[in-house]
């Protein structure tokens, strides 16, 4: 069993939740987790980098000097890559690289990311957080009370416009509903913070 602390918004631990590791695969599958992180990160690349080769730059195709007798190098046209303003040799071309994971792999990688946070004491649950209107100051104070001063992923049970607007302007905080969480975001943030409702939904199988 893994113990997950439950705090109130004032930063006081009010309860402890016993979580069975088997619910999240029993152990952290580091190879699958790395594969998922690499895939999510790769898929964020636009693949739009491009340079001009010698056929795309302006300039004559005339040979600069005759082959022999001038004392100059045996150079071709001015558009070669060794000339100033010439084309780039083996330049980048726009391309799209996609890494795909099937549903079972994505689910297992996410479970491993959750378990890694629990085992690393980087998993916290907050209970009793309720705001009637968006209050960034209140949310920032709650993070301070919980001693969260680095990157944080804040998970909600469902979409909550008030909590989203309260947290969106806090630096290094990402807000996601539970259904939108993925292994890359969970693994790349220092702390995972869930509401009590999100934690209950997670243990019930999302």
């Amino acid at each position: 069993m893994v113990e997950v602390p439950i705090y109130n918004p004032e930063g006081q631990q009010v309860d402890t939740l016993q979580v069975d590791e088997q619910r999240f695969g029993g152990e952290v599958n580091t190879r699958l987790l790395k594969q998922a992180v690499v895939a999510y990160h790769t898929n964020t690349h636009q693949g739009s980098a491009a340079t001009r080769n010698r056929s795309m730059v302006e300039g004559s195709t005339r040979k600069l000097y005759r082959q022999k007798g001038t004392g100059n190098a045996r150079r071709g046209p001015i558009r070669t890559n060794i000339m100033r303003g010439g084309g780039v040799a083996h330049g980048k071309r726009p391309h799209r690289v996609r890494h795909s994971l099937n549903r079972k792999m994505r689910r297992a990688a996410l479970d491993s990311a959750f378990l890694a946070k629990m085992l690393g004491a980087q998993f916290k649950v907050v209970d009793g957080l309720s705001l009637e209107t968006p209050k960034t100051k209140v949310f920032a104070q709650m993070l301070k009370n919980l001693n969260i001063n680095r990157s944080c992923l804040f998970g909600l049970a469902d979409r909550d416009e008030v909590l989203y607007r309260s947290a969106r302007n806090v630096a290094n905080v990402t807000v996601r509903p539970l259904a939108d969480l993925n292994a890359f975001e969970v693994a790349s943030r220092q702390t995972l913070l869930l509401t009590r409702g999100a934690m209950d939904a997670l243990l019930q199988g999302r």
Side-chain angles (χ1 to χ4, degrees):
M1 289 290 187
V2 181
E3 292 186 354
V4 176
I6 300 177
Y7 300 90
N8 60 19
E10 287 71 37
Q12 301 169 343
Q13 184 172 345
V14 295
D15 198 0
T16 301
L17 195 61
Q18 299 290 333
V19 179
D20 187 3
E21 298 97 324
Q22 297 301 323
R23 168 63 186 79
F24 297 96
E27 61 181 5
V28 179
N29 189 335
T30 55
R31 296 182 62 181
L32 177 60
L33 184 56
K34 179 183 178 181
Q35 184 178 353
V37 169
V38 170
Y40 281 111
H41 187 263
T42 300
N43 293 342
T44 62
H45 295 175
Q46 294 182 356
S48 58
T51 55
R52 294 191 299 171
N53 58 30
R54 61 190 296 177
S55 67
M56 296 178 179
V57 297
E58 294 184 359
S60 173
T61 59
R62 180 181 65 85
K63 184 176 172 65
L64 291 178
Y65 311 108
R66 58 195 175 114
Q67 183 76 0
K68 303 177 74 67
T70 64
N72 295 308
R74 297 173 178 178
R75 292 180 176 172
I78 200 171
R79 294 190 294 179
T80 60
N81 61 291
I82 62 174
M83 297 297 294
R84 182 183 181 89
V88 177
H90 311 293
K92 295 181 179 179
R93 305 302 307 147
H95 68 287
R96 184 69 169 171
V97 178
R98 299 289 295 177
H99 290 182
S100 61
L101 300 173
N102 60 44
R103 182 185 302 176
K104 186 176 181 180
M105 294 174 69
R106 292 196 303 268
R107 196 70 173 268
L110 181 57
D111 285 342
S112 288
F114 283 137
L115 185 57
K117 290 298 181 185
M118 294 179 190
L119 296 176
Q122 297 172 334
F123 193 114
K124 296 182 179 181
V125 177
V126 60
D127 192 11
L129 179 61
S130 178
L131 298 175
E132 296 181 358
T133 58
K135 294 290 184 181
T136 302
K137 183 177 181 180
V138 174
F139 187 85
Q141 183 61 44
M142 180 200 68
L143 295 181
K144 185 177 180 180
N145 295 337
L146 293 174
N147 197 27
I148 298 176
N149 51 18
R150 299 180 65 182
S151 60
C152 174
L153 178 61
F154 183 47
L156 306 173
D158 295 300
R159 297 186 181 276
D160 190 321
E161 186 66 20
V162 174
L163 288 179
Y164 171 74
R165 295 175 62 184
S166 298
R168 66 180 178 179
N169 288 331
V170 180
N172 299 323
V173 173
T174 303
V175 186
R176 293 282 187 271
L178 190 63
D180 292 347
L181 293 182
N182 60 66
F184 174 72
E185 289 189 325
V186 173
S188 61
R189 302 307 192 275
Q190 182 70 19
T191 304
L192 176 61
L193 177 64
L194 297 184
T195 62
R196 183 59 187 266
M199 188 64 188
D200 292 340
L202 177 64
L203 294 179
Q204 292 172 4
R206 302 190 292 277

